[in-house]
Amino acid sequence: MPLHDIETRADCERLVRAFYGRALEDPIIGFIFVDVAKLDLEAHVPRITSFWETILLGSRSYSGGAFRPHAELHAKVRLREGHFTQWLNLWSRTVDELFAGERAELAKAHAHRVAQAFLGRLQHLGSTDPASLTTGVTVIQRGPAA
Ligand code: HEM
Ligand code: HEM
């Protein structure tokens, strides 16, 4: 059966759940979700689904502030480039297994941009206490895609 593109919130949720199914068991990054963040998946899935619904379907259901929890994580377990590389590998593989099309490509491309931005900001932070961080990015109006 040919794969279709990401069309609905339910598609976003399916993608997110499939990704976390992998990420939580991953030998490189799984422990960060399970042991460090002690992620409550049922609380998290609706938020991250909204994040992708906003980016891919223009829903505005996500209100921003994605960086901050990563700064907090970074303070507990230094997030390195290799963690982001593995995150992106799992994400891209999951997208490609389930969907094909323009939005599927955008899901991969935007994840790369965000990962790069997060990594850059974390490296810049160094060992700064995230409690002093008040610079959550809230700008979601952007120009046309390059
Ligand atoms: C349909 C167009 C787009 C939408 C709806 C969108 C939406 C978003 C959202 C909701 C976030 C999270 C912001 C937060 O949590 O505070 C984000 C982050 C980001 N986006 Fe996009 N985006 C779009 C296009 C683009 C394009 C074209 C680029 C670059 C060429 C881009 C680069 C980034 C980067 C670098 C971040 C991470 C910022 C950071 O926290 O450091 N986005 N975007
Ligand atoms: C090493 C890589 C990463 C790790 C270990 C990681 C881990 C986590 C964890 C544990 C949370 C949940 C925090 C909590 O609610 O307790 C979270 C939230 C989130 N992550 Fe990541 N993440 C990574 C990379 C990324 C990337 C590349 C993106 C975007 C493409 C992303 C997007 C988000 C978003 C949108 C949230 C929800 C923030 C909110 O609650 O509004 N993460 N991440």
Side-chain angles (χ1 to χ4, degrees):
M1 208 168 86
L3 298 176
H4 68 82
D5 204 354
I6 299 163
E7 309 282 359
T8 62
R9 180 175 173 93
D11 287 340
C12 294
E13 180 169 341
R14 187 155 78 93
L15 174 57
V16 163
R17 286 193 184 275
F19 168 76
Y20 279 105
R22 270 192 184 145
L24 297 183
E25 298 193 345
D26 185 77
I28 299 170
I29 59 172
F31 79 98
I32 303 174
F33 298 98
V34 177
D35 301 322
V36 181
K38 300 185 170 60
L39 184 70
D40 176 350
L41 196 61
E42 291 313 309
H44 182 57
V45 162
R47 292 186 62 80
I48 191 100
T49 297
S50 293
F51 173 80
W52 287 108
E53 190 190 18
T54 298
I55 291 163
L56 302 175
L57 307 175
S59 72
R60 305 194 183 198
S61 53
Y62 184 70
S63 56
F67 178 67
R68 193 189 167 98
H70 301 90
E72 289 167 357
L73 267 185
H74 187 65
K76 293 183 193 156
V77 53
R78 186 161 284 271
L79 294 180
R80 296 173 187 278
E81 186 169 2
H83 296 128
F84 282 95
T85 303
Q86 184 65 2
W87 192 107
L88 289 170
N89 280 339
L90 298 178
W91 179 253
S92 297
R93 231 198 290 157
T94 311
V95 171
D96 285 339
E97 270 178 25
L98 296 177
F99 298 101
E102 236 171 78
R103 294 198 185 105
E105 292 307 310
L106 187 58
K108 291 183 283 178
H110 199 273
H112 271 91
R113 288 175 192 138
V114 175
Q116 263 182 325
F118 281 7
L119 185 62
R121 291 172 72 179
L122 293 176
Q123 284 170 343
H124 188 73
L125 267 184
S127 56
T128 307
D129 176 9
S132 67
L133 238 195
T134 53
T135 52
V137 171
T138 51
V139 179
I140 56 168
Q141 284 286 340
R142 293 175 197 276

